[in-house]
Amino acid sequence: MGIATLAHTELYCPNLEESLQHFRDTMGMYVRHEEEDAYYLAAFGDWQDYTLIIREGDDWGCKHVAWMLEDEDDFEEFQARIEDSGYDTEWIDESDEPGQGATLRFDYPGATPEYMELVYDIDRAFDTVEDKNKARLKNQPTRKPERGAGLRR
């Protein structure tokens, strides 16, 4: 039982377009999904479809952090441990985030992020990267971007 890796983080940004320009053009991240008030981004070498969500907000902040589990069977034990610690949990069968399966959401004791999530089933970059951004090497999901710093996971 354990946490395998950080799945993604969602940040609030008061100026969404400036934040997008920073992460895409300066840092070299790829835009994977767009919504009216949010962008889903991935860095060069990310194995998940996206690892950063930037969403329009009144102030800077962290909405949530999602952790990927090593095994799908670990959900129940983590839920029991979290609830035994006095925190509420909520099952989300179909996440409103693209490519994310069942999610266990729970309260975070600090001021930020607002909540945390445990996930297991997330779309992999190898299956979702546009052909123009695919790497020639079979061990890399994306090619190095031609702009920005080429931020790498």
Side-chain angles (χ1 to χ4, degrees):
M1 183 183 111
I3 302 289
T5 188
L6 176 67
H8 61 264
T9 301
E10 182 173 3
L11 303 177
Y12 289 124
C13 306
N15 189 323
L16 186 61
E17 294 307 314
E18 283 184 15
S19 296
L20 172 64
Q21 184 178 13
H22 169 75
F23 286 110
R24 182 191 58 209
D25 301 337
T26 305
M27 302 310 292
M29 295 183 82
Y30 291 101
V31 176
R32 294 283 175 78
H33 304 279
E34 290 182 43
E35 293 177 356
E36 186 175 314
D37 66 339
Y39 292 97
Y40 295 75
L41 304 158
F44 165 58
D46 273 344
W47 296 101
Q48 286 86 24
D49 184 28
Y50 56 90
T51 53
L52 177 65
I53 305 166
I54 54 173
R55 186 170 302 278
E56 193 163 2
D58 294 334
D59 202 0
W60 298 100
C62 182
K63 183 174 182 180
H64 81 275
V65 175
W67 302 95
M68 181 180 263
L69 297 179
E70 288 178 348
D71 192 321
E72 192 169 15
D73 297 332
D74 293 343
F75 274 120
E76 291 175 9
E77 187 167 342
F78 272 110
Q79 182 177 17
R81 286 182 175 193
I82 293 165
E83 289 175 352
D84 288 347
S85 297
Y87 298 101
D88 294 329
T89 62
E90 175 186 6
W91 276 105
I92 300 168
D93 292 328
E94 286 224 15
S95 177
D96 55 353
E97 295 171 9
Q100 182 173 308
T103 302
L104 179 63
R105 185 174 289 172
F106 60 98
D107 295 337
Y108 180 71
T112 186
E114 292 178 17
Y115 57 89
M116 289 204 182
E117 294 179 338
L118 297 177
V119 300
Y120 176 75
D121 187 24
I122 295 180
D123 283 351
R124 303 291 183 196
F126 280 110
D127 302 325
T128 60
V129 172
E130 296 176 10
D131 287 340
K132 68 180 183 178
N133 294 327
K134 285 189 177 181
R136 285 185 256 166
L137 300 172
K138 300 295 182 193
N139 66 338
Q140 294 292 321
T142 56
R143 66 177 177 78
K144 187 170 184 193
E146 295 174 1
R147 67 190 182 297
L151 183 67
R152 187 176 185 139
R153 175 147 175 140

